[in-house]
Amino acid sequence: MASGGKRRRLGVAVIISTVIVLAGGAAAAYAWVTREPETVIPKTTAAVIERPLTAAEQIVADADDPLACAVSFLGEGAPEDPMLQWQNALYVGLPIPAQDGRVFAGWYASEADAAAFTVAARINGADPVVCVDQQIDLFAAWTTPEANAAAAVQVPILMYHQFTANPEGETGWLRGNYAYIGDFDAQMNHIATTGFYLPTWDELSAFIDGRLSLPARSVIITDDDADQTWFDLAVPVIDRYKLLSTSFMITAYRQDPPPSIYVLRRSHTHDMHQAGENGKGRMVNWTADEIAADLNASADVLGVREVIAYPFGHYNDTAKQGVAQAGFEMARTIEPGYVEIGTDKLALPVVRIDYGMGLDSLIKRIG
């Protein structure tokens, strides 16, 4: 009886469970048939909004070169457009803006440096291009004509010729031309470490015009003739101290490429560094047209018309006419003196450096 009763109870339980399951299934089936259809949300692709490139970014993109650098100019009177420069070179052709009643005082690494005229932070063509993310900002500084005139800056142009590694110097009639390389090293170290500013030739021109102020301790380093001793002895010193210099080359004799980014090649004429009919240089024997033709040949080799050095220092009004006719703005003599506001651009004076003139001699002449 007990077992039979248990079977009946199990049977009842199975029937009840079956009814529940069937009822649940029916309910589920009804719910599936009667439910609202799902709303299908169409998939969309998010729109990509591209920011237009700035002018600085655009010239870098157009250059497509990791060494390209966009230089932007900031401050009152600064050019609106950026300039492309290259990080394996010195700055080239930085603008010299002009404003009525004001004198441009240079480009600086920061706004604070521009306000303070910080010489060490003033940027020009003597400086290598260094960028962050291929861009850099330069800040303009200005002064007044009165302040510029009151500063009474005098710029020495140093003139070297040949060099010697012999402390006793060389023999012969050109002995005085040979600067001892140990003296030259000490002189360049002094310029590099005591706060001198090295103007470019376009800056010197603007300074003469009164359009640009230069720091009181400014100096230009030049070599005449591009002698082999200049390449072998002096250029490594120039390179070591990273000092902008100018080599005046006689292009009929040699046409070497620049031996360093710090060496500018400029004209010492093409083939006028020899005597004319009266024993003086061809520069004072030839016509203006002949002089211009020679200088044009030199400029074609060097790729620049800017400044020349008169051979032997010989020049006259006809020579100056030929220089200007060939498109050169400045010419350097061998006459002693310093460049000031208003100096004759076709008769720039020099500070000559001869054998036996050591560091003390240089300091007496340039500070």
Side-chain angles (χ1 to χ4, degrees):
M1 285 294 295
S3 60
K6 185 176 181 181
R7 282 196 297 271
R8 284 195 296 269
R9 286 195 297 272
L10 287 173
V12 172
V14 170
I15 293 170
I16 293 172
S17 297
T18 302
V19 171
I20 292 173
V21 170
L22 290 174
Y30 176 80
W32 183 84
V33 172
T34 59
R35 69 179 177 178
E36 293 292 330
E38 292 182 1
T39 302
V40 178
I41 301 175
K43 294 182 179 180
T44 59
T45 301
V48 178
I49 302 175
E50 293 186 0
R51 176 180 63 82
L53 298 179
T54 65
E57 292 170 336
Q58 187 64 60
I59 64 172
V60 168
D62 291 342
D64 192 23
D65 189 317
L67 293 177
C69 178
V71 182
S72 298
F73 304 101
L74 303 177
E76 188 177 350
E80 294 183 1
D81 295 331
M83 173 183 281
L84 189 65
Q85 299 280 341
W86 301 96
Q87 296 181 70
N88 59 345
L90 305 183
Y91 283 96
V92 176
L94 289 177
I96 301 176
Q99 283 191 344
D100 291 339
R102 304 181 80 186
V103 175
F104 186 60
W107 296 110
Y108 294 81
S110 71
E111 189 173 10
D113 289 322
F117 303 116
T118 307
V119 175
R122 183 165 170 170
I123 305 297
N124 75 336
D127 297 299
V129 178
V130 179
C131 291
V132 177
D133 295 330
Q134 295 188 267
Q135 294 190 52
I136 189 171
D137 295 334
L138 297 182
F139 296 82
W142 297 87
T143 187
T144 65
E146 294 76 17
N148 189 42
V153 172
Q154 295 182 314
V155 181
I157 300 176
L158 303 183
M159 179 180 66
Y160 294 88
H161 285 86
Q162 290 82 30
F163 298 85
T164 178
N166 182 2
E168 303 303 319
E170 300 297 312
T171 59
W173 69 281
L174 284 178
R175 172 180 168 82
N177 273 6
Y178 282 84
Y180 171 51
I181 195 62
D183 290 334
F184 182 70
D185 190 297
Q187 292 164 354
M188 295 302 102
N189 178 67
H190 174 72
I191 291 171
T193 60
T194 58
F196 276 89
Y197 181 79
L198 286 87
T200 57
W201 292 105
D202 60 336
E203 285 184 304
L204 188 71
S205 176
F207 166 74
I208 292 172
D209 291 339
R211 298 184 290 112
L212 175 77
S213 70
L214 288 176
R217 291 167 67 81
S218 294
V219 64
I220 293 177
I221 304 162
T222 73
D223 168 77
D224 279 16
D225 305 335
D227 184 78
Q228 190 60 44
T229 58
W230 160 254
F231 290 91
D232 295 343
L233 298 177
V235 169
V237 175
I238 290 293
D239 228 18
R240 182 163 66 252
Y241 292 117
K242 297 178 171 57
L243 296 173
L244 184 69
S245 63
T246 296
S247 175
F248 287 110
M249 301 184 72
I250 309 165
T251 52
Y253 300 167
R254 65 187 313 160
Q255 301 179 5
D256 306 64
S260 163
I261 65 170
Y262 294 98
V263 176
L264 305 176
R265 300 184 310 162
R266 295 298 184 264
S267 178
H268 204 16
T269 75
H270 181 65
D271 196 18
M272 285 193 284
H273 203 291
Q274 49 186 303
E277 293 178 359
N278 62 359
K280 293 186 177 181
R282 287 179 171 179
M283 184 66 78
V284 293
N285 276 272
W286 286 4
T287 67
D289 287 344
E290 290 172 324
I291 291 168
D294 177 278
L295 292 177
N296 280 326
S298 178
D300 289 344
V301 171
L302 300 174
V304 62
R305 283 172 168 79
E306 188 175 55
V307 61
I308 75 153
Y310 292 118
F312 315 114
H314 296 168
Y315 73 100
N316 55 20
D317 287 344
T318 302
K320 292 165 76 172
Q321 180 184 345
V323 171
Q325 188 174 315
F328 288 80
E329 185 181 17
M330 293 174 286
R332 203 219 62 202
T333 71
I334 62 170
E335 296 169 358
Y338 302 85
V339 178
E340 304 172 331
I341 296 173
T343 292
D344 184 349
K345 291 185 182 181
L346 294 176
L348 302 178
V350 301
V351 173
R352 181 184 176 100
I353 305 296
D354 290 327
Y355 172 75
M357 295 174 62
L359 179 58
D360 290 344
S361 296
L362 180 79
I363 291 173
K364 288 177 182 177
R365 288 162 175 79
I366 72 171

